[in-house]
Amino acid sequence: MSAPRPLSRQLGRPINRRLVLESALAGAAVGVPAWLAFGTTANAGVESGIRGRGAVAPAAAAPGVVPSLDRSALTAALDAHLAERGGTMGLVVHDLRTGGRFAWREFENESLSTIKVLILLACLKKVQDGGEPLTNERHSQARRMIQASDNAATDALLEWVTTAKVQEAAGLLGLEATTVRGGGPAGSKTWWGYSRTTPGDLVSVVDAVVTGTPVIHAGHRAYIRHLMAGVVPDQRWGVADPPLPRTAYTETKNGWGPLPDGYRLNSIGRVLGNGRSHTMAILTRSPQGFRYGRETINGLSKIVYDALAQPLPAE
C-alpha cells in the first residue's frame, strides 16, 4: 500500500480522550453514543439512495406478512456482477436484525490492512490482561493504524504486542481460517499484510467488536469502533460509503495492495441506518488494478445493501 498523506490532511474525527482504554467500566464508552457502544440496532434515517444496477428487487408479500430477502436472487445478482467485472471475489454478510448470515463464493485471501483490526484487538487484550495502559504514543499509533492505514504505526504496535499474541486472539475469537504473519518487511513472505483469512473470519472479528466478546470489554470495543468510524474519506469504499447513501452510518477498515495474480481489495465493517444493521466482509482480486477493483467492490456492497431492504432470515 502506498504511504499515507500527511496526517493533518488525512485524519478525520479525533479520538475522544475521555474514552480511556484502561477503564474498568465495561460499559463506559464516554463520548460515544450508547447505541454505538453497546451494539444495539437503530434506525438512523430514511433511505435516500436510488436502487442501483444489479439490485435485488424485494419480493411481494401477502398482507400482514413481512417480506424477507430472496437468497437466490441475491446470489444471481452477485454472480452477474462477477461475470461482468471478472476477477475473484467473495463475501459474507451478517444481518444483525435477524441473525441471518449469507455467504457467497468464500475464499482465502491475503488480509492486507484488514488485519489491523485484529492487531488492535490483541493490543487492547494485552492492556486488559496486564493492567498496562496504552501510552500516548501507542494511542497515536492505534489512531494512525486504523484511520489512515499507517503501516509504520502497525509495525510498532505489532512489535509491542507480538505476532503470537495476535494469533492467540484469533484463536479466542474462533477464527479457524486465519493465519497471522509478522516480522518481515512490507512485501516479504512474513509481512503482516500477507496474513491469510476469509470473509467468514473477518465478519467474526467485526461481530466481536460490534456485538460483544469475552476477549475484550465493552469500553475497548467502543474504542475500536470509534476509530473505524473515523477512517479518512479516501479509504472509505466497499462496505462503507461512498457506494452507500450518505445517511448510512458506517464503521470500516479496508486493505489493498498489488500481487502478481490480481490487485487485492478487501473491505470489512458495519452498516447501520435506513432500516439496516449488518456486518460484512468482502475479499477481492482485481484483474485490472486498484481503480477498477474499487468500482467492482463498491458494486458488490451496493447490491447487498439494496437487497437488505428486506431482512435476511436466519437459517
Side-chain angles (χ1 to χ4, degrees):
M1 289 167 286
S2 59
R5 291 182 293 154
L7 291 179
S8 61
R9 295 177 59 194
Q10 280 282 311
L11 290 180
R13 179 185 338 188
I15 293 174
N16 188 321
R17 300 298 293 171
R18 294 180 299 163
L19 194 60
V20 184
L21 283 178
E22 60 273 21
S23 172
L25 299 175
V30 181
V32 180
W35 55 265
L36 187 159
F38 299 104
T40 57
T41 59
N43 191 329
V46 178
E47 170 60 52
S48 61
I50 299 174
R51 188 169 299 279
R53 181 179 181 182
V56 181
V65 176
V66 177
S68 60
L69 184 149
D70 185 332
R71 291 173 180 266
S72 297
L74 176 54
T75 297
L78 294 170
D79 285 345
H81 187 69
L82 171 60
E84 178 183 354
R85 303 293 295 183
T88 304
M89 54 191 85
L91 62 83
V92 170
V93 59
H94 179 201
D95 189 339
L96 300 178
R97 299 168 299 181
T98 63
R101 293 173 69 92
F102 173 86
W104 175 75
R105 296 183 179 270
E106 271 204 272
F107 73 103
E108 187 178 286
N109 209 23
E110 291 81 6
S111 68
L112 280 303
S113 286
T114 59
I115 200 68
K116 291 174 180 177
V117 176
L118 183 61
I119 291 172
L120 180 54
L121 187 148
C123 289
L124 298 176
K125 185 178 187 305
K126 179 174 180 176
V127 167
Q128 187 170 300
D129 291 348
E132 178 185 359
L134 288 186
T135 62
N136 287 339
E137 181 182 15
R138 291 188 182 121
H139 273 293
S140 175
Q141 289 165 348
R143 181 185 178 196
R144 299 197 317 268
M145 176 176 72
I146 299 299
Q147 294 189 327
S149 213
D150 187 311
N151 289 348
T154 307
D155 292 340
L157 286 173
L158 185 58
E159 181 179 3
W160 176 66
V161 73
T162 76
T163 302
K165 287 298 183 181
V166 180
Q167 187 68 62
E168 179 183 296
L172 292 172
L173 294 176
L175 311 184
E176 298 180 353
T178 297
T179 302
V180 181
R181 296 179 178 173
S188 68
K189 291 183 178 179
T190 58
W191 180 47
W192 50 259
Y194 292 161
S195 299
R196 305 285 295 184
T197 192
T198 62
D201 273 10
L202 289 173
V203 161
S204 293
V205 174
V206 180
D207 282 348
V209 171
V210 171
T211 65
T213 172
V215 180
I216 57 172
H217 64 57
H220 287 167
R221 292 191 292 105
Y223 177 77
I224 297 174
R225 295 200 310 276
H226 179 64
L227 295 181
M228 292 174 67
V231 166
V232 296
D234 63 1
Q235 294 179 18
R236 302 184 71 85
W237 39 262
V239 171
D241 42 40
L244 307 188
R246 294 179 62 86
T247 48
Y249 169 83
T250 58
E251 300 159 355
T252 191
K253 184 72 196 85
N254 293 337
W256 61 97
L259 280 167
D261 58 341
Y263 205 107
R264 275 35 171 190
L265 292 96
N266 305 325
S267 183
I268 66 174
R270 173 203 195 184
V271 177
L272 183 65
N274 302 323
R276 294 154 174 85
S277 179
H278 61 274
T279 57
M280 185 160 63
I282 310 173
L283 302 183
T284 71
R285 297 179 180 181
S286 167
Q288 298 185 41
F290 175 80
R291 291 182 181 275
Y292 185 87
R294 185 175 59 187
E295 293 175 358
T296 300
I297 198 170
N298 283 352
L300 291 173
S301 179
K302 189 62 164 60
I303 289 169
V304 173
Y305 178 88
D306 286 345
L308 285 171
Q310 309 300 330
L312 175 63
E315 290 184 315

